[in-house]
Amino acid sequence: MTKPELYHARNSVCSQKVRLCLAEIGLPWEGRLLDLMAGDQYAPEYLALNPEAVVPTLVDDGRVVVESSLICEYLDRTYNGGTLMPDDPAHRIGVSHWLLRSIQLHAAINALTFSTANRGAKFKGLDAAARDRKLARMPNPLARLRLVSLTDEGLASPFVAQALVDLRRAFGDMSRALARHDWLSGPDFGLGDIGVIPYVDRLERLGFGGLWAQDFPGIDGWIDRMRARPAFAQAIDAVAPEGSFERMRSGAAPFREEVLRLWAVP
């Protein structure tokens, strides 16, 4: 059998999730690295695989699997005997909930990233006409609207306000789950933890860990346990471009106080 092929980007949180799953399973794979800022995701051959022009995409024995949570479930069932899903039905439902919820978490993290550290990065150096041409390549009209709003309005964007609402609810649920067990998946580590950690890790790397530190206990300890797993360094730290996390935090630093102010007014 050929190795699964993963189309991914180095610092994409959804790509991190799938790489983390692959590392935890110990599955060999072939990487197809995309530069999202350069627009590799709009190449016709990639759009044929993923018409939404997002990463990651998995190609395995002729099967194309998109959406990071579905890819993780597929990999666990196909190559790992489903062992990253708990046996207990209640815990299985909980894991499925977190994998579904990660779509909402991704939107929230995207909003805080592109309204702060990456604000304007997609259009850097472009005049108005070139900006419009770049926007026209995006196949999803709502994604275009989000990007324009986050670029032009920054933290005043309504997408940021929604992100803070969604994160507050998620942190509350995480804190309650982690009061019962060490892992979001239940007594044992699993897909629920893999599905959520890249988004929370991104917030901390932006310097926004204060959003949960005071009101939602247990999350910091869970992050520490996740980062202590060998797969974490392999899938996230080792793949990131040198200095990129430092640049991310530095880019977000001027916005930190305003983010904390907005957070303090639910």
Side-chain angles (χ1 to χ4, degrees):
M1 289 183 62
T2 59
K3 296 177 183 178
E5 294 180 294
L6 182 69
Y7 292 79
H8 66 117
R10 292 186 185 277
N11 279 346
S12 151
V13 283
C14 292
S15 297
Q16 290 173 347
K17 182 198 304 187
V18 175
R19 293 196 305 261
L20 184 57
C21 184
L22 287 161
E24 288 285 354
I25 293 171
L27 180 66
W29 54 284
E30 297 285 349
R32 301 288 180 260
L33 197 61
L34 301 185
D35 184 339
L36 303 185
M37 290 298 182
D40 290 353
Q41 67 273 36
Y42 303 123
E45 57 271 24
Y46 186 70
L47 288 172
L49 298 174
N50 192 321
E52 285 291 313
V54 296
V55 291
T57 297
L58 184 80
V59 180
D60 182 32
D61 196 25
R63 292 181 290 270
V64 178
V65 190
V66 299
E67 208 291 309
S68 57
S69 291
L70 292 179
I71 295 172
C72 290
E73 288 185 281
Y74 168 83
L75 290 169
D76 185 45
R77 285 195 309 269
T78 305
Y79 292 101
N80 198 43
T83 58
L84 290 173
M85 283 290 281
D87 293 328
D88 180 85
H91 293 314
R92 290 178 70 88
I93 291 171
V95 170
S96 295
H97 165 82
W98 284 116
L99 291 175
L100 181 63
R101 190 110 173 238
S102 69
I103 297 173
Q104 187 182 65
L105 288 172
H106 177 266
I109 276 29
N110 174 276
L112 285 176
T113 301
F114 280 92
S115 63
T116 61
N118 283 0
R119 186 175 178 183
K122 291 277 189 178
F123 307 125
K124 187 176 181 180
L126 301 182
D127 60 22
R131 169 175 148 148
D132 288 344
R133 287 194 298 271
K134 189 164 188 174
L135 283 168
R137 299 179 74 187
M138 300 176 67
N140 187 317
L142 181 58
R144 290 199 298 268
L145 176 65
R146 282 177 58 88
L147 182 57
V148 169
S149 176
L150 294 168
T151 298
D152 294 352
E153 301 174 80
L155 291 173
S157 167
F159 293 104
V160 171
Q162 184 62 53
L164 297 178
V165 169
D166 292 339
L167 288 172
R168 188 178 298 276
R169 292 172 180 165
F171 293 158
D173 290 343
M174 290 176 67
S175 184
R176 285 184 285 274
L178 293 167
R180 296 189 293 270
H181 301 290
D182 280 349
W183 305 105
L184 293 180
S185 301
D188 300 310
F189 169 84
L191 283 182
D193 306 282
I194 291 172
V196 174
I197 185 58
Y199 308 110
V200 181
D201 178 70
R202 167 62 61 84
L203 278 179
E204 198 279 332
R205 292 186 191 270
L206 287 167
F208 300 152
L211 299 186
W212 63 73
Q214 182 173 344
D215 298 325
F216 303 104
I219 294 178
D220 277 331
W222 172 75
I223 294 172
D224 290 342
R225 289 190 291 277
M226 288 298 302
R227 288 179 171 171
R229 299 183 70 85
F232 187 94
Q234 180 182 341
I236 297 178
D237 293 330
V239 182
E242 185 177 356
S244 60
F245 291 138
E246 292 78 9
R247 290 191 294 272
M248 192 180 295
R249 183 174 288 257
S250 176
F255 305 96
R256 184 175 184 274
E257 293 305 316
E258 178 64 8
V259 169
L260 294 178
R261 186 190 68 78
L262 292 171
W263 181 257
V265 186

